[in-house]
Amino acid sequence: MDYILAIDQGTTSSRAIVFDGDMRVVSVGQEEFPQHFPHSGWVEHDPDDLWQTVLRSCEEALEKAEISAGDLAGIGITNQRETTLVWEKATGRPITNAIVWQDRRTADRCAALRGAGHEEMIRARTGLLLDPYFSGTKLEWILDRTEGARARAEAGELAFGTVDSWLIWNLTEGRIHATDATNAARTMLYDIVQGQWDSEICALLHIPMEMLPEVHDCASDFGMATVLGAEVPVLGVAGDQQAATIGQACFAPGMMKSTYGTGCFALMNTGSDLVHSENKLLGTIAYRLDGEVTYALEGSIFVAGAVVQWLRDGLGLIGAAAETQALAEAADPEQEVIMVPAFTGLGAPYWDADCRGAIFGLTRATGPSELARAALESVGFQTVDLYRAMLADWPGAAEERVLRVDGGMVMSDWTMQFLADILGAPVDRPVIAETTAVGAAWLAGMRAGIYPDKQGFSDGWALDRRFEPAMDPATRERRYAAWQDAVSRVLSKN
Ligand SMILES: Nc1ncnc2c1ncn2[C@@H]1O[C@H](COP(=O)(O)OP(=O)(O)O)[C@@H](O)[C@H]1O
Ligand SMILES: O=P(O)(O)OC[C@H](O)CO
């Protein structure tokens, strides 16, 4: 009974990982699912795909581990955040596809709400900007466009949830409608200071509060999963970036992590302070344990590893992501090519949905090596944008900081060294790269009483390699100024 099953339901695939009593990975089940793009800027998932791929991944992981559900002490769930679902309470049937976090269809609605002067109130209560990224206007859109939906929601017939809620509902066969504080914090409907659904914001968006899930601590009793062959309690839930923050043991104020997958999400623990960013970062809940909220500042970059995918699939410059390392090493040091990968606009701290990418500094001598180096460097420069915004927002972070990194891209030593150089701060890569799943597993295992407490877990965090900054400060400032100049040329407000 001392295994934990972590479910990681991401944007492109679902994964399930079995951890043993020492928090080591025993087995992994994984399945991708289709993305639906019904119109330009729209992104949808079929809710059944999300659930079925999770269920099959769980079965695969258990089979590979040669254990059964009866050997599990608990389940931890972590998930793509903000993605919005509505289903019938009576049948569990979704009334429409899930609207994914990347979906921009409510951009006009957000602009109108901003124009009507609602942004300040929303920022003060939710920590978020008025942006289509979050669930609130997506849910309003579903209720507006699905016949009879609002009346049915008012009658208590429909349930709203982010992906964690949808999975809990299905794991418990419709008995439990719940979420955790980190996922609630991404809906734009939850007051993260008062710790409750906000009736004024719900009224503004015409969202009946009957359809909202109950909000729990991240480590809590979320109900009994009954679909895996034995009863297993769901004991931990956190949004994926918060789970990575936990998995990186960023438990002290000022500690920060950055996850480099398709995009990049940086979170800094700000303790019991909700920091209202002056620099267009988000204020959010890092985790809630024993009723106590720890806040974070968050910066989201839309294109990180995706720029490497573009070199491979768009330009055909490389056959595999790892080839960028040798190319970057071979690049001409005299050439300063800068790539701004604003393929879908820029996220924090610019929030410019309309600008597009550009490459600067091309000469006749520019070739694949210089382009590959510029692509990898763009990830470092964007991180500096977030890092400097965080330091400016939170004076508590003024002393020297270390950045803990994870995600597929941190396998690139060259990128991590450049990141340290351009940040002017050490970059720490942990031994266990599965930090998101580890975070979810730890929440559940701690609640089950088989994993150590926060301090013990922190002590177990192990360093694979530290990258120390080696660039001289004058070069760093000159190169960062060149990046800022390049960004200023692509911004649509120019
Ligand atoms: N050695 C490498 N060098 C540079 N980029 C890499 C390397 N290995 C993987 N990547 C990039 O990392 C990303 C995959 O990371 P992952 O954490 O699996 O992403 P996600 O969870 O968003 O799918 C891809 O975009 C890929 O291009
Ligand atoms: O599923 P990921 O890893 O792309 O993460 C998505 C984020 O949670 C969106 O906010």
Side-chain angles (χ1 to χ4, degrees):
M1 276 279 287
D2 55 2
Y3 293 94
I4 294 288
L5 180 66
I7 294 170
D8 180 357
Q9 202 304 302
T11 311
T12 57
S13 75
S14 298
R15 282 153 36 90
I17 302 181
V18 172
F19 288 87
D20 68 12
D22 295 320
M23 248 187 290
R24 283 185 305 238
V25 174
V26 179
S27 64
V28 180
Q30 178 158 12
E31 199 175 322
E32 290 190 12
F33 53 84
Q35 310 286 314
H36 301 282
F37 307 105
H39 298 285
S40 164
W42 292 31
V43 189
E44 296 183 356
H45 291 158
D46 180 336
D48 286 329
D49 285 345
L50 300 181
W51 167 237
Q52 293 299 334
T53 53
V54 163
L55 188 57
R56 284 195 293 267
S57 300
C58 290
E59 289 163 354
E60 184 189 345
L62 290 173
E63 202 173 304
K64 282 186 181 163
E66 297 180 2
I67 61 169
S68 68
D71 298 315
L72 297 172
I75 295 174
I77 298 175
T78 181
N79 55 286
Q80 54 166 319
R81 307 167 304 165
E82 299 96 12
T83 297
T84 302
L85 297 98
V86 178
W87 63 93
E88 294 175 346
K89 288 182 183 167
T91 64
R93 262 202 305 269
I95 66 165
T96 178
N97 268 350
I99 303 185
V100 179
W101 60 276
Q102 296 151 320
D103 191 293
R104 311 297 299 172
R105 77 183 66 179
T106 60
D108 289 347
R109 173 63 172 147
C110 289
L113 288 164
R114 263 198 308 276
H118 295 297
E119 184 151 58
E120 234 357 89
M121 181 270 285
I122 286 177
R123 285 194 69 184
R125 296 184 190 179
T126 68
L128 307 176
L129 299 168
L130 231 174
D131 192 271
Y133 179 18
F134 308 108
S135 319
T137 55
K138 297 183 198 290
L139 175 54
E140 182 189 38
W141 197 96
I142 291 174
L143 295 178
D144 282 345
R145 309 298 167 106
T146 316
E147 196 167 341
R150 189 163 278 111
R152 295 186 67 197
E154 273 160 9
E157 293 173 21
L158 300 182
F160 152 75
T162 40
V163 171
D164 55 310
S165 296
W166 173 240
L167 298 180
I168 293 167
W169 179 273
N170 282 286
L171 285 164
T172 63
E173 297 183 274
R175 289 187 309 279
I176 306 288
H177 184 210
T179 188
D180 85 296
T182 66
N183 276 293
R186 315 298 295 188
T187 60
M188 216 181 76
L189 304 172
Y190 189 71
D191 183 329
I192 63 174
V193 181
Q194 302 294 327
Q196 60 191 26
W197 296 114
D198 191 292
S199 55
E200 203 178 324
I201 299 175
C202 287
L204 181 67
L205 300 178
H206 313 105
I207 291 169
M209 295 183 76
E210 292 78 2
M211 69 189 309
L212 304 176
E214 192 181 320
V215 183
H216 291 232
D217 280 1
C218 301
S220 172
D221 295 314
F222 288 89
M224 209 51 99
T226 45
V227 290
L228 296 175
E231 292 201 339
V232 190
V234 180
L235 298 174
V237 177
D240 56 11
Q241 301 311 320
Q242 282 84 348
T245 307
I246 294 167
Q248 287 276 29
C250 289
F251 294 133
M255 290 183 80
M256 56 180 116
K257 72 89 202 178
S258 201
T259 301
Y260 297 91
T262 309
C264 156
F265 298 86
L267 268 82
M268 180 171 73
N269 184 319
T270 61
S272 52
D273 294 340
L274 169 62
V275 176
H276 291 284
S277 175
E278 301 285 325
N279 295 287
K280 295 196 170 176
L281 299 174
L282 307 173
T284 200
I285 293 180
Y287 45 85
R288 195 176 92 190
L289 296 172
D290 297 324
E292 199 178 307
V293 176
T294 297
Y295 294 98
L297 271 174
E298 172 172 330
S300 329
I301 300 170
F302 301 140
V303 174
V307 74
V308 176
Q309 289 165 3
W310 177 67
L311 294 182
R312 188 192 59 193
D313 306 334
L315 292 188
L317 216 61
I318 51 171
E323 291 169 27
T324 49
Q325 169 106 9
L327 286 172
E329 282 166 358
D332 174 4
E334 297 299 314
Q335 289 189 53
E336 294 206 349
V337 178
I338 295 187
M339 189 182 289
V340 184
F343 300 148
T344 53
L346 287 170
Y350 307 103
W351 298 102
D352 186 339
D354 299 320
C355 70
R356 290 295 176 262
I359 303 173
F360 298 92
L362 296 177
T363 69
R364 183 69 180 75
T366 303
S369 299
E370 289 72 29
L371 291 178
R373 182 184 59 191
L376 297 181
E377 286 183 348
S378 72
V379 175
F381 285 127
Q382 293 186 96
T383 308
V384 179
D385 288 339
L386 303 182
Y387 180 75
R388 295 196 178 192
M390 281 178 179
L391 298 194
D393 268 338
W394 204 59
E399 60 211 67
E400 191 202 359
R401 292 291 165 208
V402 175
L403 183 67
R404 292 188 171 184
V405 294
D406 53 81
M409 216 182 170
V410 304
M411 295 320 293
S412 168
D413 289 352
W414 193 94
T415 309
M416 294 303 105
Q417 183 56 52
F418 179 74
L419 179 59
D421 285 347
I422 202 73
L423 277 176
V427 167
D428 280 359
R429 182 171 66 193
V431 172
I432 299 183
E434 299 278 6
T435 53
T436 306
V438 168
W442 175 72
L443 288 168
M446 190 234 332
R447 179 79 184 177
I450 64 165
Y451 287 169
D453 64 6
K454 222 158 65 176
Q455 188 57 52
F457 177 68
S458 248
D459 294 344
W461 184 91
L463 182 69
D464 165 50
R465 179 163 168 194
R466 168 168 285 195
F467 297 85
E468 291 282 1
M471 190 181 274
D472 73 89
T475 307
R476 177 180 308 128
E477 289 311 316
R478 186 180 55 73
R479 301 234 36 221
Y480 184 60
W483 162 259
Q484 287 182 301
D485 178 57
V487 170
S488 73
R489 289 163 194 242
V490 305
L491 291 178
S492 64
K493 282 128 199 164
N494 273 348

